[in-house]
Amino acid sequence: MSMVSKTELEKKFKEFCTGLSKNDKIAIIHHSDADGLCSALISGKAIERLTGNKPIVVLPYEYGNYAQEKKALELIKKKKTNKLIIVDLGIDGMKNSLTETCPFEKCLVIDHHKLYRDLNSEKIVFLKAQFFTKKEPSSYVASKFAFDLFNKVTDVSDLDWLACVGILGDMSLDAWQSFVKKTIKKRNVSMTWLYRFLDLIASVEVVANKKIPELYWEFYNIKHPADVLESKFHKFLKEFKKEKDSLVEGFDKKAEQFPEIELYFYAIRAKYESIKSYVINEISEMRPHKTIILLQILPRGRLRFSARRQDCKIKVNDLLVEAIKGIPNGSAGGHAPAAAGSIPRQHAKKFKSNVIDILERRYKTNA
Ligand SMILES: [Mn+2]
């Protein structure tokens, strides 16, 4: 892989920004979690400060949801979008990538997921955390990355709290202790204050997924951050917490254990599709040295899964990618400590035995 230097990429980024005009129609596509939403907010606000115009369409995207991807593409074409910004999505690892044919004049990608391909081209400014930091790229969360980038071309320092919420959302506080502390002090708020935004975003993502675009604009248009906590979205919190707590509690009773390879499988039937990452985060925080795979059967005939391994002894993104090999229509990706994917449900057994085989081989060689 020929890699461009950080300086060159920064230049490409600045050119993208100075090339923006008020005639541009800009769309943003973001991962449907807190880091995705916050990086999309920082990007959207920066765009408005640079051009005088808000982005014309902002849409969430969840991995493996091809119907959503198709719909998103149709909508942004219909709106005559000429420039596209993609944040917090590892599009270089996706099959039907949004940028494959790039039906846009320009496309800007800001992401920190695993690097599969360098998509930099005439049209595409492809910024991966890997190109900018020597840290573990998963901890250079998209919100902080976008915050640092746009701060070079326009003042976004008032959006520091959004960068913090993204940091907490992607569980990367360890890497950004001093930045988060500084922000809390500057604003005279607390950690709890920051977490309230995270819970609010999580509950809308989980309980009222279709309202994410609405939540985006609520965040976008408020005068003071705290206003959003008093908004109508507050009502989804209670339901979210109830559902999450009951699934976390079920782990001890229902998870399948493979102690020799430090593995747990936990199958859930959840009322809400996207609750799984919040459930597994909580389970995994209590068991940082175990590989945890959460399986979720969906009514549509797909099996979705999430994996966690906080100590990174097993890179779960690699594990999942390897485990779906040979399974038709499988998809998987993510970070070393946190990854996800999906397969057609009839291949569930094959997937599980693949995971076990891979880990048994790994533990044997390391023993
Ligand atoms: Mn992220």
Side-chain angles (χ1 to χ4, degrees):
M1 198 177 306
S2 70
M3 253 195 243
V4 248
S5 73
K6 180 182 164 185
T7 337
E8 265 175 76
L9 287 173
E10 252 178 47
K11 212 178 117 207
K12 268 189 95 172
F13 170 73
K14 283 179 184 164
E15 278 165 10
F16 175 88
C17 293
T18 51
L20 292 172
S21 81
K22 64 174 183 2
N23 301 320
D24 282 327
K25 292 187 187 302
I26 298 162
I28 301 177
I29 293 183
H30 63 87
H31 191 205
S32 56
D33 68 357
D35 184 38
L37 187 88
C38 291
S39 52
L41 282 162
I42 292 166
S43 307
K45 288 276 185 186
I47 292 307
E48 185 178 355
R49 288 169 197 185
L50 289 164
T51 66
N53 292 329
K54 293 174 182 171
I56 55 156
V57 51
V58 180
L59 293 169
Y61 178 87
E62 189 46 61
Y63 285 99
N65 191 339
Y66 298 120
Q68 191 185 36
E69 176 171 340
K70 228 183 114 203
K71 236 173 96 187
L73 264 177
E74 274 163 19
L75 183 63
I76 53 184
K77 274 185 199 155
K78 210 173 94 192
K79 296 260 184 184
K80 303 215 177 348
T81 302
N82 69 328
K83 291 178 183 175
L84 175 67
I85 298 175
I86 299 173
V87 287
D88 198 28
L89 285 168
I91 54 155
D92 50 317
M94 292 181 196
K95 235 189 289 165
N96 321 308
S97 165
L98 284 161
T99 53
E100 205 87 310
T101 49
C102 196
F104 309 99
E105 271 168 46
K106 284 270 176 198
C107 182
L108 169 67
V109 181
I110 298 174
D111 180 49
H112 68 128
H113 290 87
K114 185 180 161 155
L115 176 65
Y116 290 92
R117 278 180 299 158
D118 183 355
L119 296 181
N120 275 295
S121 69
E122 282 278 300
K123 282 182 173 181
I124 303 173
V125 184
F126 183 69
L127 308 179
K128 278 277 195 185
Q130 283 84 344
F131 302 147
F132 285 76
T133 180
K134 289 196 171 66
K135 279 189 201 181
E136 164 62 37
S138 66
S139 67
Y140 199 13
V141 304
S143 310
K144 180 67 166 70
F145 191 17
F147 178 80
D148 292 342
L149 284 166
F150 283 109
N151 229 352
K152 292 180 205 293
V153 290
T154 183
D155 185 12
V156 290
S157 57
D158 59 312
L159 308 178
D160 51 0
W161 63 287
L162 287 170
C164 289
V165 175
I167 287 166
L168 298 183
D170 272 9
M171 302 204 299
S172 298
L173 182 60
D174 282 352
W176 300 107
Q177 287 280 1
S178 65
F179 173 74
V180 175
K181 266 189 200 144
K182 208 178 81 192
T183 306
I184 284 176
K185 204 172 160 208
K186 180 181 125 190
R187 295 180 165 271
N188 195 21
V189 291
S190 65
M191 209 56 173
T192 320
W193 185 82
L194 286 176
Y195 272 109
R196 286 178 67 196
F197 295 99
L198 183 61
D199 281 346
L200 182 74
I201 298 168
S203 58
V204 175
E205 183 198 346
V206 166
V207 179
N209 199 280
K210 291 202 169 67
K211 294 195 190 301
I212 293 176
E214 236 179 280
L215 181 68
Y216 178 89
W217 293 110
E218 184 80 30
F219 266 92
Y220 197 101
N221 292 319
I222 41 152
K223 281 219 169 64
H224 306 288
D227 293 348
V228 80
L229 299 172
E230 311 298 322
S231 73
K232 60 175 181 178
F233 293 97
H234 181 79
K235 66 176 180 223
F236 299 115
L237 258 175
K238 216 173 133 190
E239 172 69 6
F240 168 68
K241 284 188 175 156
K242 194 184 89 192
E243 185 73 4
K244 185 187 66 179
D245 292 349
S246 90
L247 289 166
V248 169
E249 278 162 29
F251 181 83
D252 284 328
K253 249 186 265 162
K254 294 176 191 155
E256 260 182 280
Q257 279 193 53
F258 301 85
E260 304 80 43
I261 50 175
E262 301 172 324
L263 171 72
Y264 290 88
F265 281 116
Y266 180 34
I268 62 167
R269 274 183 193 279
K271 202 160 146 197
Y272 305 108
E273 251 185 70
S274 40
I275 202 159
K276 69 175 173 36
S277 46
Y278 299 97
V279 172
I280 196 173
N281 282 352
E282 218 167 297
I283 291 168
S284 154
E285 263 167 16
M286 294 182 267
R287 298 163 188 84
H289 308 297
K290 306 283 183 214
T291 303
I292 294 165
I293 298 181
L294 191 138
L295 306 158
Q296 184 179 29
I297 294 155
L298 299 182
R300 287 197 303 274
R302 276 190 90 77
L303 176 82
R304 278 178 70 182
F305 43 81
S306 286
R308 296 288 184 277
R309 177 87 190 205
Q310 309 275 345
D311 67 7
C312 292
K313 184 177 153 191
I314 298 291
K315 288 187 174 138
V316 289
N317 50 358
D318 294 344
L319 174 66
L320 294 183
V321 168
E322 209 183 324
I324 62 159
K325 269 187 194 153
I327 295 176
N329 295 314
S331 81
H335 308 294
S342 73
I343 50 168
R345 71 199 277 181
Q346 65 265 34
H347 300 290
K349 264 197 183 140
K350 174 82 182 140
F351 170 74
K352 284 170 83 176
S353 72
N354 282 354
V355 169
I356 293 167
D357 287 349
I358 295 162
L359 290 179
E360 278 178 348
R361 254 181 283 134
R362 195 81 56 86
Y363 279 77
K364 228 174 255 165
T365 19
N366 290 346

